[in-house]
């Protein structure tokens, strides 16, 4: 019987760890913040949760496999961090009855429902992928190489024989397109 060789995580140095972290932060922060704001009572709490999310991401940077579903991984960390936050506030929620606290309690129960969270997560991933597919071919190719494959602008420009400024323009256009196409979905969260 032939044993399947297991992939070892790629060891990354501090510089590339920071670059990958910056890429994940820049690509996902605003979307994750919007999701967190739907579950926690104030913007200050949302910012606190997001700080915790990205602290956890930084701590686990050596374990992140960029060839896997990084977006889903970030959603799970965000969801779990929201749950931790809401658990810490649970006793206060039981004592106070104003509508904001009741909303938080309902959000806590919604987040603890793994099936519902998984459905929402999968739906969002599908919408992101569909939105990326609607981009013009060259723009889509540049965006995928940058955001999903983790290539630097110079690498993309040399691989596709285009200037780094063109790479930046394509990425900017793609991000605007994603924000616009996901706007309706995010307003329901």
């Amino acid at each position: 019987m032939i044993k399947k060789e297991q992939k070892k995580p790629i060891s990354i140095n501090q510089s590339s760890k920071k670059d990958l972290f910056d890429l994940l932060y820049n690509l996902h922060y605003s979307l994750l913040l919007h999701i967190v704001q739907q579950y926690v009572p104030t913007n200050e709490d949302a910012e606190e949760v997001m700080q915790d999310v990205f602290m956890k991401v930084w701590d686990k940077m050596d374990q992140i496999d960029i060839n896997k579903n990084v977006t889903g991984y970030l959603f799970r960390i965000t969801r779990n961090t929201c749950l931790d936050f809401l658990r810490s506030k649970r006793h206060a929620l039981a004592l106070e009855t104003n509508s904001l606290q009741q909303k938080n309690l309902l959000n806590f129960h919604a987040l603890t429902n793994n099936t519902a969270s998984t459905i929402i997560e999968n739906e969002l991933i599908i919408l992101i992928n569909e939105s990326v597919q609607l981009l013009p071919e060259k723009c889509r190719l540049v965006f995928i190489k940058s955001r999903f494959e983790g290539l630097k602008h110079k690498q993309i420009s040399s691989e596709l024989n285009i200037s780094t400024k063109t790479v930046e323009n394509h990425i900017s256009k793609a991000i605007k397109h994603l924000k616009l196409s996901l706007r309706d979905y995010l307003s329901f969260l």
Side-chain angles (χ1 to χ4, degrees):
M1 177 174 10
I2 300 174
K3 284 189 175 179
K4 221 179 181 183
E5 185 179 315
Q6 291 190 349
K7 290 184 181 177
K8 294 180 182 175
I10 300 171
S11 124
I12 57 177
N13 63 34
Q14 282 299 102
S15 173
S16 57
K17 179 179 177 178
K18 184 181 179 334
D19 290 343
L20 179 58
F21 178 83
D22 290 345
L23 176 71
L24 293 175
Y25 182 89
N26 291 331
L27 182 60
H28 296 285
Y29 183 85
S30 58
L31 174 64
L32 295 176
L33 176 62
H34 185 76
I35 291 169
V36 168
Q37 288 172 328
Q38 306 307 309
Y39 295 103
V40 298
T42 66
N43 286 337
E44 286 176 358
D45 290 337
E47 291 290 340
E48 182 182 328
V49 168
M50 287 304 297
Q51 187 175 14
D52 290 346
V53 166
F54 280 98
M55 292 280 292
K56 290 176 183 178
V57 169
W58 177 259
D59 290 342
K60 296 183 184 268
M61 284 302 295
D62 296 331
Q63 300 166 10
I64 293 177
D65 183 354
I66 61 170
N67 296 319
K68 300 231 171 152
N69 184 356
V70 176
T71 304
Y73 177 73
L74 291 173
F75 285 141
R76 278 189 297 283
I77 288 177
T78 303
R79 175 181 158 258
N80 291 339
T81 305
C82 282
L83 282 171
D84 292 342
F85 174 83
L86 292 171
R87 279 187 193 110
S88 72
K89 302 294 183 186
R90 194 175 198 177
H91 295 294
L93 293 175
L95 297 174
E96 299 180 31
T97 58
N98 75 35
S99 63
L100 188 56
Q101 272 98 16
Q102 287 182 356
K103 179 182 175 188
N104 288 338
L105 187 57
L106 289 173
N107 288 336
F108 173 78
H109 290 299
L111 278 172
T112 56
N113 181 340
N114 286 334
T115 305
S117 293
T118 302
I119 289 170
I120 291 170
E121 180 182 311
N122 290 338
E123 221 176 81
L124 188 55
I125 290 169
I126 289 169
L127 287 173
I128 290 169
N129 288 332
E130 287 174 352
S131 184
V132 168
Q133 291 306 312
L134 294 175
L135 290 168
E137 184 179 347
K138 190 71 122 186
C139 183
R140 179 178 61 242
L141 184 60
V142 168
F143 184 77
I144 289 170
K145 288 189 174 299
S146 170
R147 296 308 200 243
F148 297 136
E149 295 176 14
L151 297 180
K152 304 267 186 220
H153 292 189
K154 280 188 173 188
Q155 292 171 307
I156 297 168
S157 70
S158 95
E159 190 175 310
L160 298 178
N161 240 357
I162 57 177
S163 72
T164 55
K165 187 67 178 169
T166 302
V167 170
E168 291 169 9
N169 289 339
H170 281 306
I171 291 171
S172 177
K173 180 179 180 180
I175 289 172
K176 286 179 186 174
H177 168 77
L178 285 169
K179 284 181 180 178
L180 183 64
S181 67
L182 298 173
R183 181 188 65 217
D184 292 338
Y185 179 77
L186 294 175
S187 67
F188 291 112
L189 288 177

